[in-house]
Amino acid sequence: MPGVVIVVAVLADLYTPVASASLLAVAPVAAVTTLGPWAVTAVGLVAMAVHAVLADVEGTFGWQRGLANQIALAAVTALAVTLNRALRAQHTTTRHARHTAAVAQKAVLPTPPEHLGALHIAARYTPADQEALIGGDLYVVQRTPYGVRAMIGDVRGKGLDAVSAVSVDIGAFRFAADQTAELSALAQALDEALLREGLRRHGEEESEGFTTALLAEFSPDLGEVRIVNRGHPAPVLLNEDGRARALVPSREAPPLGMMSLGRWDAPVDVFAFPPGSTLVLLTDGCTEARNREGVFYDPGSRLEYLWSRQRGSTGGVPTPGTLLDLLLHDVTRYTRGRVHDDQALLALHHRPGR
């Protein structure tokens, strides 16, 4: 870009009444965001040299059109170098902040293993606050003495304010999932952990700190999946032919962390999970995404379509990771990029013959 500006300035000076000095002053400014300080200085010196040659050829290198313009070009170059250094310092600070956020994300929300026996697992996370990298949605998959267990959840709020609640949820799940035999008892243990956290925080978090969550437990042979749904969007089960159905709970139950308002026994619903099936767990960042007409996104029908299209184009069954990538892209397309909530996705595929 700086080179183009200098060439345009030369042509304008030779073939139009426009003076070259004003255009040449743009060259070092154009280099501020793309080059280093020494390169910006070099561009400024080249602009000054070009102006001096043009003025000398025209015989106008006097005080007004010569030295004064040279001083102005030098001042603009110095300003451009100052701006360049400031931008580079800001970029370094931002890069360090994003690196810190990425480390925090991996610590608070670690990536699940790709394989646990015959389960092929994929997870995706897209925060509403793109600068934060992490927000209020969570997922976790863990092998336990009682089979593989998974949780997906959405804490009240979003952004960095919700990160501490996410940490509590995941920490409580990792401990209780290994210690609690019954899935309903696991949900109760998470309830109690959130209640204790709310009492420690006091204020609004004590009465309104809650997490919508879905707990899933796979039988040892993976033929069944048991689910406890605490106020969370229903997961979608894709069979081996790509047909989808939402696994709606038999009875509604409130989110976790609301024991101060009473106790509820959430049912444990059992569903078949034959080989070739894929269970997709998601948060309301997907289910409550809307298009311009205000129509909510339907993950079930869209997953059927995306699965069929991918199968038709590649001839193979889409992997869990591919399926989630297609779903995220489809939500973005559906909303025209106006997604206002975190999106967490977890796909667990029962690999045939494993």
Side-chain angles (χ1 to χ4, degrees), residues 252-307:
E252 297 292 337
L256 298 172
M258 301 186 70
M259 290 179 60
S260 60
L261 303 179
R263 289 181 176 270
W264 294 267
D265 293 325
V268 179
D269 297 309
V270 182
F271 302 94
F273 189 57
S277 300
T278 301
L279 182 65
V280 179
L281 285 61
L282 36 77
T283 57
D284 60 8
C286 288
T287 58
E288 295 183 1
R290 306 189 195 193
N291 61 11
R292 284 187 171 182
E293 288 72 36
V295 179
F296 288 110
Y297 186 81
D298 181 8
S301 62
R302 296 306 300 172
L303 278 168
E304 274 194 0
Y305 167 74
L306 295 170
W307 191 97

Side-chain angles (χ1 to χ4, degrees), residues 38-184:
W38 289 109
V40 173
T41 302
V43 170
L45 293 175
V46 170
M48 293 173 65
V50 169
H51 172 264
V53 171
L54 292 174
D56 184 64
V57 169
E58 296 173 355
T60 58
F61 195 86
W63 168 249
Q64 184 174 2
R65 298 190 61 184
L67 293 178
N69 285 337
Q70 289 286 299
I71 293 172
L73 286 171
V76 171
T77 300
L79 177 62
V81 171
T82 302
L83 290 174
N84 178 269
R85 291 184 179 276
L87 287 174
R88 289 170 68 88
Q90 185 180 34
H91 176 71
T92 299
T93 301
T94 302
R95 188 174 65 249
H96 288 166
R98 290 185 64 84
H99 175 71
T100 301
V103 172
Q105 182 188 36
K106 291 180 179 179
V108 175
L109 194 66
T111 302
E114 291 187 4
H115 302 283
L116 284 176
L119 273 181
H120 185 186
I121 305 165
R124 297 291 185 271
Y125 191 95
T126 303
D129 183 0
Q130 294 295 330
E131 295 301 320
L133 293 182
I134 187 171
D137 287 4
L138 61 103
Y139 47 69
V140 57
V141 182
Q142 183 170 319
R143 189 194 296 274
T144 75
Y146 314 103
V148 175
R149 286 174 166 175
M151 178 175 74
I152 190 165
D154 183 0
V155 306
R156 186 185 66 84
K158 61 183 179 180
L160 293 177
D161 292 338
V163 173
S164 58
V166 169
S167 178
V168 171
D169 284 331
I170 293 180
F173 175 87
R174 288 201 177 280
F175 175 79
D178 282 338
Q179 305 296 322
T180 310
E182 298 297 328
L183 198 60
S184 56

Side-chain angles (χ1 to χ4, degrees), residues 165-223:
V166 169
S167 178
V168 171
D169 284 331
I170 293 180
F173 175 87
R174 288 201 177 280
F175 175 79
D178 282 338
Q179 305 296 322
T180 310
E182 298 297 328
L183 198 60
S184 56
L186 173 58
Q188 183 177 352
L190 295 175
D191 250 333
E192 294 171 352
L194 286 175
L195 179 62
R196 289 193 299 270
E197 181 66 15
L199 292 173
R200 280 195 293 266
R201 295 187 183 188
H202 301 292
E204 189 177 89
E205 290 297 327
E206 182 175 350
S207 59
E208 298 185 15
F210 60 84
T211 300
T212 68
L214 186 138
L215 305 175
E217 177 185 273
F218 297 89
S219 60
D221 63 355
L222 300 182

